[in-house]
């Protein structure tokens, strides 16, 4: 009888190891992906970092225990990679917008979005042809307006924003140019 119970115990332990342990280790699969993505980014492998952050998001969406804050943090890291490392402000805007929408009351998320929008507007401004059209002026006024709106949301949520006055001045400048043209 004792041998039979011992055999049953080993059998149950084996089932536990096969079924239970992988489930519990998968609960932090997103953590492993997060760490890997940060390592890729730290080593200059930015595309791999973004792909790995996106995979972490995929698993976070499947996990009902993941919070909006955690998902927003991943979107912020994606935005940071595009903004700081790849200088792709358009893609940074997309990522930051998703981060901000997940946690609407986080001023830092709105500020990140506003800063990326401002950098994008400045990039468009730098690429203006010698004789811009009225549409270009209107587009720039709108781009600076997007940055102002996001930075205002950041201020409403407790984030100090110093660049907002410059963005307001630029928006007005391009509105005036559009009217004069």
């Amino acid at each position: 009888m004792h041998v039979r119970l011992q055999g049953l115990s080993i059998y149950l332990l084996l089932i536990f190891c096969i079924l239970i342990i992988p489930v519990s280790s998968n609960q932090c699969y997103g953590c492993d992906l997060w760490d890997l993505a940060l390592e890729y980014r730290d080593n200059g492998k930015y595309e791999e970092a973004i792909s790995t952050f996106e995979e972490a998001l995929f698993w976070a969406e499947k996990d009902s225990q993941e919070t909006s804050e955690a998902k927003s943090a991943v979107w912020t890291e994606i935005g940071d990679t595009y903004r700081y490392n790849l200088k792709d402000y358009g893609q940074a805007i997309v990522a930051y917008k998703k981060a901000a929408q997940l946690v609407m009351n986080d001023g830092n998320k709105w500020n990140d979005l506003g800063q990326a929008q401002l950098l994008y507007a400045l990039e468009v401004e730098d690429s203006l042809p010698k004789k811009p059209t009225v549409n270009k002026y209107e587009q720039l006024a709108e781009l600076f307006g997007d940055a102002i709106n996001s930075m205002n949301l950041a201020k409403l949520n407790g984030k100090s924003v110093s660049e907002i006055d410059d963005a307001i001045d630029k928006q007005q400048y391009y509105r005036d140019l559009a009217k004069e043209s």
Side-chain angles (χ1 to χ4, degrees):
M1 179 77 162
H2 182 63
V3 173
R4 208 167 170 186
L5 285 175
Q6 194 174 25
L8 182 61
S9 298
I10 292 172
Y11 177 74
L12 290 174
L13 181 61
L14 182 62
I15 289 175
F16 176 79
C17 289
I18 292 171
L19 297 177
I20 305 301
I21 291 175
V23 169
S24 63
S25 66
N26 278 343
Q27 287 177 346
C28 201
Y29 186 61
C31 299
D32 295 338
L33 290 170
W34 173 276
D35 291 340
L36 180 60
L38 290 175
E39 187 174 323
Y40 279 142
R41 189 171 66 193
D42 291 345
N43 290 308
K45 298 178 179 179
Y46 306 122
E47 297 299 331
E48 291 92 336
I50 290 168
S51 295
T52 307
F53 280 128
E54 288 172 344
E55 189 177 347
L57 277 171
F58 171 80
W59 289 106
E61 292 296 328
K62 291 187 169 292
D63 184 355
S64 62
Q65 300 298 313
E66 282 295 336
T67 64
S68 294
E69 287 83 7
K71 294 172 193 169
S72 178
V74 178
W75 279 115
T76 299
E77 291 298 333
I78 292 171
D80 286 350
T81 305
Y82 278 120
R83 177 178 165 192
Y84 295 112
N85 303 114
L86 296 173
K87 308 293 187 220
D88 185 339
Y89 305 120
Q91 288 298 323
I93 290 168
V94 171
Y96 287 143
K97 196 174 285 187
K98 290 179 181 179
Q101 289 170 342
L102 284 165
V103 285
M104 300 288 283
N105 62 345
D106 186 335
N108 290 320
K109 304 297 182 194
W110 290 107
N111 188 53
D112 288 339
L113 176 59
Q115 296 299 318
Q117 289 168 323
L118 182 59
L119 289 167
Y120 182 73
L122 291 170
E123 186 176 70
V124 170
E125 180 183 45
D126 286 345
S127 68
L128 277 178
K130 289 184 182 182
K131 293 187 177 186
T133 63
V134 174
N135 289 342
K136 273 293 183 191
Y137 292 139
E138 290 171 350
Q139 176 192 10
L140 276 164
E142 187 177 321
L143 290 173
F144 283 109
D146 290 343
I148 292 164
N149 290 338
S150 296
M151 287 187 270
N152 277 328
L153 285 169
K155 284 175 68 173
L156 285 173
N157 287 291
K159 177 70 178 167
S160 174
V161 180
S162 59
E163 294 88 353
I164 195 165
D165 292 332
D166 292 337
I168 291 170
D169 291 343
K170 291 249 185 200
Q171 181 189 37
Q172 190 58 51
Y173 173 74
Y174 285 110
R175 281 184 177 162
D176 292 344
L177 284 175
K179 287 177 188 174
E180 293 171 10
S181 296

